[in-house]
């Protein structure tokens, strides 16, 4: 291993090239001297001092020249490879991200090419990622504008009627004001959810983590929802183990997720029915599920529910939710390292949250 490393060093290769070139030039000098001697050119007295000097100088020049030529011939492949690397880096710098260099040898130049290839791929991935974020942002802005405009248009419309005193009686006036109020509330919650969503999708979102018993937390949330659900003709059928299931979470954020799942069950469940709540663990993970019955569920792919701004017909007509609730919930669960999934079977819609238990 060490021997291979030694021979793969470019300095060693250069040193060898120098030794070989030097030997070649010495050999050439030897041949010339040998031939000059054969004809007694240097030892005879036929040469003047100048001629003698000329021969010695010419010999030196031949030695230096042959050294340079043989050295360049030996290292020409490396120089060609270095040029290739330079051109490839130039191409990458000009925007041809993802392009790679053929790796030749395992010396420093080979390693350099390998690292440049890695860098090029990494840059390409980063750019692609940025592009996707940019597209998602643009799409989000388009959707937002549409969703903000709808309640705002009706607020403006009703305010215009009030301004022009275009109402028949006190009752109609109250009706208009009620509508304006509820549309403003809708706008407010939409803006809040939007703010929440953008905050959560930023890469440096911070969680305020604490360890908490999930069973206890759920009991508390269910307790708060019982009267609200009863009013809608819904009741709970729950199974929560007595043992402590410790989970590390940002309680405020996770409660937001549970709230959305409970409120969705309340809003979109068939009535009167019951809501099934289950908490389980396999020793490593805790599994929370909430299931409700749905009348005429006509979604091709249940995962569509997690899409931003996806709203079922009922949500569109009656409640006016933002359609961001589940997208936000999924994101919150994921930044906790958990999973939020949905499943539809025989009239029941089930949402599952998988949390890893604290060790
Ligand atoms: N428990 C559920 N039962 C039936 N449909 C649901 C349920 N939860 C969500 N949905 C459907 O998914 C859509 C998206 O939900 P969500 O993202 O929370 O937005 P919102 O509640 O603002 O409509 C809802 O409009 C509804 O059509
Ligand atoms: Mg919701």
């Amino acid at each position: 291993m060490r021997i291979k490393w030694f021979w793969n060093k470019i300095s060693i290769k250069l040193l060898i090239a120098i030794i070989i070139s030097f030997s070649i030039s010495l050999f050439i000098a030897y041949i010339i001297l040998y031939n000059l001697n054969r004809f007694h050119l240097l030892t005879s007295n036929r040469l003047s001092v100048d001629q003698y000097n000329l021969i010695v100088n010419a010999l030196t020049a031949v030695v230096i020249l042959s050294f340079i030529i043989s050295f360049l011939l030996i290292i020409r492949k490396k120089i060609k490879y270095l040029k290739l690397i330079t051109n490839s880096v130039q191409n990458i710098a000009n925007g041809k991200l993802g392009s790679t260099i053929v790796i030749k040898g395992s010396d420093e130049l080979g390693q350099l090419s390998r690292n440049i290839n890695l860098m090029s791929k990494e840059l390409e991935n980063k750019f692609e990622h940025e592009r996707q974020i940019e597209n998602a942002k643009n799409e989000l802005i388009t959707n937002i504008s549409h969703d903000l405009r709808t309640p705002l248009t009706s607020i403006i419309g009703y305010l215009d009627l009030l301004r022009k005193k275009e109402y028949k009686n006190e009752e109609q006036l109250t009706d208009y004001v009620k509508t304006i109020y509820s549309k403003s509330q809708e706008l407010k919650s939409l803006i809040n959810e939007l703010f929440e969503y953008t905050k959560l999708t930023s890469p440096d979102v911070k969680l305020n983590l604490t360890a908490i018993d999930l069973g206890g937390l759920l009991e508390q949330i269910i307790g708060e929802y019982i009267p609200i659900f009863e009013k809608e003709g819904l009741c709970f059928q729950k199974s929560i183990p007595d043992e402590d299931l410790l989970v590390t979470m940002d309680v405020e954020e996770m409660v937001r997720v549970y709230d959305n799942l409970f409120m969705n069950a309340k809003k979109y469940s068939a009535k009167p029915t019951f809501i099934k709540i289950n908490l389980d663990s396999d020793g490593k993970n805790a599994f929370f599920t909430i299931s409700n019955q749905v009348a005429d569920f006509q979604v091709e792919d249940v995962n569509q529910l997690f899409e931003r701004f996806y709203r079922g017909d009922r949500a569109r007509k009656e409640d006016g939710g933002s359609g961001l609730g589940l997208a936000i919930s999924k994101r919150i669960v994921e930044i906790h390292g958990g999973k939020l999934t949905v499943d539809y079977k025989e009239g029941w819609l089930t949402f599952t949250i998988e949390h890893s238990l604290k060790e």
Side-chain angles (χ1 to χ4, degrees):
M1 187 68 202
R2 273 201 83 79
I3 294 177
K4 203 170 160 211
W5 169 83
F6 180 79
W7 290 114
N8 277 333
K9 279 192 82 75
I10 208 151
S11 46
I12 301 299
K13 285 187 177 168
L14 278 178
L15 203 66
I16 293 171
I18 290 172
I19 292 170
I20 294 175
S21 321
F22 192 63
S23 312
I24 291 173
S25 51
L26 277 186
F27 181 68
I28 290 173
Y30 170 76
I31 301 236
I32 296 172
L33 277 175
Y34 176 80
N35 283 311
L36 286 176
N37 265 339
R38 234 176 43 165
F39 301 107
H40 304 286
L41 258 174
L42 290 176
T43 44
S44 66
N45 295 331
R46 276 180 286 158
L47 288 179
S48 68
V49 175
D50 281 350
Q51 281 171 326
Y52 185 84
N53 280 344
L54 190 72
I55 288 177
V56 171
N57 283 342
L59 192 64
T60 316
V62 166
V63 168
I64 292 173
L65 221 71
S66 57
F67 175 82
I68 291 172
I69 290 169
S70 31
F71 183 71
L72 286 178
L73 279 176
I74 294 171
I75 64 159
R76 78 181 188 290
K77 269 193 180 162
K78 289 283 163 210
I79 289 177
K80 239 172 108 179
Y81 191 41
L82 203 58
K83 267 190 196 153
L84 179 82
I85 295 176
T86 315
N87 288 339
S88 303
V89 172
Q90 187 74 45
N91 283 342
I92 295 171
N94 287 342
K96 243 178 116 185
L97 298 178
S99 62
T100 50
I101 309 169
V102 191
I103 296 166
K104 290 180 186 166
S106 40
D107 57 15
E108 282 92 335
L109 285 184
Q111 280 170 19
L112 180 68
S113 307
R114 200 167 288 127
N115 289 339
I116 290 171
N117 288 350
L118 282 178
M119 184 192 74
S120 168
K121 277 266 168 280
E122 189 68 15
L123 278 175
E124 190 189 27
N125 291 343
K126 281 244 162 70
F127 263 73
E128 181 56 29
H129 184 63
E130 294 282 317
R131 211 175 53 82
Q132 278 172 1
I133 291 179
E134 190 63 35
N135 284 349
K137 280 241 166 78
N138 288 344
E139 192 195 323
L140 182 66
I141 289 170
T142 318
N143 289 335
I144 292 168
S145 323
H146 176 263
D147 277 63
L148 289 179
R149 204 181 299 136
T150 319
L152 197 60
T153 313
S154 78
I155 291 172
I156 293 171
Y158 281 104
L159 281 176
D160 197 39
L161 290 177
L162 294 188
R163 194 173 58 110
K164 293 179 190 153
K165 298 211 167 29
E166 281 179 20
Y167 47 88
K168 292 186 196 113
N169 47 35
E170 193 79 3
E171 206 181 321
Q172 198 170 36
L173 172 75
T174 322
D175 257 7
Y176 286 178
V177 173
K178 256 192 202 157
T179 314
I180 292 171
Y181 183 75
S182 85
K183 291 284 166 195
S184 312
Q185 287 294 346
E186 195 183 303
L187 202 59
K188 184 181 155 197
S189 80
L190 184 59
I191 291 169
N192 283 346
E193 291 207 341
L194 230 111
F195 177 70
E196 192 57 32
Y197 182 77
T198 19
K199 193 181 86 186
L200 286 167
T201 42
S202 92
D204 45 34
V205 44
K206 286 198 176 60
L207 294 174
N208 188 7
L209 296 173
T210 37
I212 189 162
D213 167 37
L214 193 55
L217 179 71
L218 282 172
E219 290 285 11
Q220 200 182 327
I221 297 175
I222 293 170
E224 284 166 22
Y225 275 99
I226 286 175
I228 303 172
F229 274 60
E230 270 174 358
K231 256 194 225 162
E232 301 278 332
L234 294 166
C235 59
F236 287 114
Q237 189 189 75
K238 59 171 178 156
S239 150
I240 294 176
D242 287 332
E243 52 164 334
D244 272 8
L245 294 177
L246 277 188
V247 170
T248 313
M249 61 164 81
D250 184 321
V251 183
E252 200 182 313
E253 294 295 344
M254 274 315 296
V255 165
R256 193 191 295 277
V257 175
Y258 286 113
D259 272 340
N260 184 42
L261 293 182
F262 276 77
M263 283 309 282
N264 281 352
K266 189 205 98 176
K267 285 193 286 190
Y268 309 120
S269 171
K271 285 151 202 157
T273 47
F274 59 94
I275 312 284
K276 286 195 268 186
I277 289 181
N278 201 68
L279 182 64
D280 238 337
S281 127
D282 63 0
K284 275 182 94 179
N285 298 298
F287 302 93
F288 160 82
T289 60
I290 177 166
S291 316
N292 63 273
Q293 274 175 282
V294 270
D296 67 28
F297 190 67
Q298 286 160 343
V299 178
E300 264 174 51
D301 175 9
V302 271
N303 285 309
Q304 258 183 301
L305 304 194
F306 290 121
E307 281 174 17
R308 290 178 316 211
F309 300 108
Y310 173 83
R311 280 178 298 175
D313 287 343
R314 273 200 34 214
R316 237 182 281 269
K317 278 187 226 134
E318 297 165 25
D319 168 75
S322 66
L324 275 171
L326 285 173
I328 293 176
S329 303
K330 196 173 174 66
R331 174 73 187 152
I332 293 177
V333 174
E334 280 170 2
I335 54 180
H336 277 85
K339 275 187 216 147
L340 171 58
T341 50
V342 62
D343 193 31
Y344 176 76
K345 218 180 248 164
E346 292 155 10
W348 286 86
L349 193 68
T350 305
F351 288 90
T352 306
I353 301 183
E354 187 182 326
H355 289 281
S356 26
L357 289 171
K358 188 173 187 280
E359 282 166 11

